[in-house]
Amino acid sequence: MLMSPMPLMGSGSFPSPTIEMRTLLLLCTRYAFSKQNKHRGTSIRITIGLALCLFAIIAVLAFMQALQRDQFDDIRTFESFDLQVDLATSDKMAAQKAAQEIEALSSVDAAFIYADIPVITQASNGGTVAGRIRGMEAEGRFLSQLNSYRGELFVPGMLASSYSNSVTHALKDEVKVTLLKKGRQATVIPSQKSMVIGSLYYTSSYDFDRATFLCDVDTLLSLNPDARLRIGIFTRDDVLAVKQQVLKLGYEDVATYKEVNASLYGAMELEQKMMTLMLFLMVIVILVHIRNSSRRLLLAKQREIAMLRSMGLTKKKVQALFVMQSILVTLIGCVLGLALSYSAIALYPMLSHVVYQSMGVHLVLEIRTYEVVFLVVLILVFSMLASFQGTHRILKADIMEMFSHDEVS
């Protein structure tokens, strides 16, 4: 005579929901990491794999965002500044007056005149550099982050070369500067002039250093009196709002750093999209890993599920038990991954010199909280759904079938 399954508790007793929840939590801990659990190793492997995957995603995201942020900081500091105004004039006095008017705006930190002319320089040893000469009245962030290696910067009549070009354009060397000027009969004509390298400088932007010689505005105008002067602007406010204020002053040709570097900004946006796609693929790999691992773990526990059912535990409670177990394993994996990520970010400054030696940049890494929260919630929800689906499929089988087969199809 077959005996009916015995309930875990007597029919006359009515355990409180709190006691039942404590029992389920105790059981899910037992089935996850208890030393008596023969599948404990599988749970640990799932946890470690999830932690490493999450750490890899956060690390890649932090580095890519830091690289892009560093590049745009250099562009805004050295290359095109926060905004620039094209004056379409070579009158230095008029340009200075315009710069003073713009600098009077409360939203502007610094406004200064500058101009660029493309040149080819040839040193006495035969070395050449194709780049530009920038004449400027350096102010704001540019001046504070411009480092003098040797000599005095912005000496009238002399050029400042970068340290990266010092092998061919050394201090005190006389170089031949070739540039294009307006001609009487032709639109432009080549012109040559000898100048002395009076100082060496360096910045945090290798691309800027490699292609730029510095001098004061008067020296640049002596080379090309028709060079068009511009105004560079530094601001801590929103650049679009400042642009509108400058336009209201009557200056028509005003551009932000994004507009000046539109092609570069577009390329960086494309890079950001590709990076997002790659990270999305990594997330899919994590989710597939969670699904397959959860499925293997549940299939390995079929007989235990059958035993719990034969002891009177309802299907809903069995399902809740193993869903909670899956969430516990996933949550611990996420916590370990976050601990690894934040520890690596905290320790990074001690190893930043290695990155600087290999990449030539000083990066400030940070983790965006909202991105991490979204990623963790996504992983937890998918883990819960994968476990729910797996237990639902297993529980549709007969109890005796679970006992007699290693895997329920």
Side-chain angles (χ1 to χ4, degrees), residues 105-362:
L105 294 172
S106 59
S107 58
V108 174
D109 297 330
F112 49 90
I113 62 173
Y114 77 99
D116 293 333
I117 55 173
V119 297
I120 297 176
T121 62
Q122 183 176 14
S124 56
N125 60 10
T128 60
V129 173
R132 67 182 173 190
I133 294 178
R134 169 165 287 186
M136 64 185 305
E137 296 178 350
E139 291 184 26
R141 294 198 303 268
F142 185 96
L143 185 61
S144 65
Q145 297 188 38
L146 181 65
N147 304 287
S148 176
Y149 179 68
R150 285 183 182 174
E152 184 180 350
L153 299 174
F154 301 107
V155 175
M158 291 187 174
L159 292 179
S161 178
S162 68
Y163 174 75
S164 60
N165 292 328
S166 60
V167 174
T168 57
H169 293 60
L171 188 67
K172 304 302 181 183
D173 276 2
E174 185 173 330
V175 298
K176 290 183 180 180
V177 179
T178 304
L179 66 150
L180 296 177
K181 298 172 62 175
K182 284 186 179 180
R184 294 181 180 179
Q185 296 180 348
T187 305
V188 291
I189 58 173
S191 175
Q192 260 191 0
K193 186 173 182 178
S194 295
M195 300 190 71
V196 177
I197 302 297
S199 58
L200 298 176
Y201 76 91
Y202 65 94
T203 70
S204 59
S205 175
Y206 176 75
D207 292 335
F208 176 86
D209 291 1
R210 184 179 55 182
T212 308
F213 296 90
L214 296 176
C215 67
D216 63 317
V217 176
D218 289 328
T219 300
L220 182 135
L221 291 176
S222 69
L223 290 172
N224 186 0
D226 299 315
R228 297 173 61 171
L229 296 176
R230 297 172 179 172
I231 297 176
I233 300 173
F234 286 124
T235 179
R236 283 170 289 186
D237 293 354
D238 179 65
V239 291
L240 293 177
V242 177
K243 177 182 177 179
Q244 293 302 316
Q245 295 176 17
V246 176
L247 288 172
K248 289 179 180 178
L249 293 177
Y251 300 97
E252 297 180 356
D253 199 348
V254 184
T256 67
Y257 70 96
K258 290 183 180 179
E259 294 168 340
V260 174
N261 303 281
S263 57
L264 174 62
Y265 190 73
M268 293 184 72
E269 280 192 326
L270 178 61
E271 180 185 354
Q272 181 74 24
K273 290 177 181 177
M274 293 303 297
M275 181 186 69
T276 303
L277 176 61
M278 294 302 296
L279 292 177
F280 178 72
L281 293 176
M282 290 180 67
V283 171
I284 292 179
V285 171
I286 291 179
L287 298 180
V288 171
H289 165 73
I290 291 173
R291 180 184 179 280
N292 292 339
S293 300
S294 298
R295 183 175 180 274
R296 288 198 307 269
L297 191 58
L298 288 170
L299 291 175
K301 292 179 179 293
Q302 281 181 172
R303 295 189 178 183
E304 296 181 37
I305 293 174
M307 185 172 294
L308 290 172
R309 290 283 293 116
S310 66
M311 293 173 62
L313 209 63
T314 63
K315 288 185 178 181
K316 288 185 178 180
K317 288 181 180 178
V318 171
Q319 198 164 45
L321 169 63
F322 284 96
V323 167
M324 289 171 62
Q325 173 200 330
S326 178
I327 292 176
L328 177 64
V329 172
T330 305
L331 183 61
I332 292 176
C334 290
V335 170
L336 287 177
L338 293 178
L340 280 174
S341 302
Y342 280 97
S343 298
I345 296 297
L347 294 174
Y348 172 77
M350 302 178 187
L351 305 173
S352 60
H353 65 280
V354 177
V355 177
Y356 180 74
Q357 289 173 356
S358 61
M359 303 177 62
V361 292
H362 289 290

Side-chain angles (χ1 to χ4, degrees), residues 16-29 324:
S16 68
T18 303
I19 295 176
E20 288 191 3
M21 181 57 66
R22 287 178 182 175
T23 305
L24 287 176
L25 286 174
L26 182 62
L27 285 173
C28 82
T29 306
M324 289 171 62

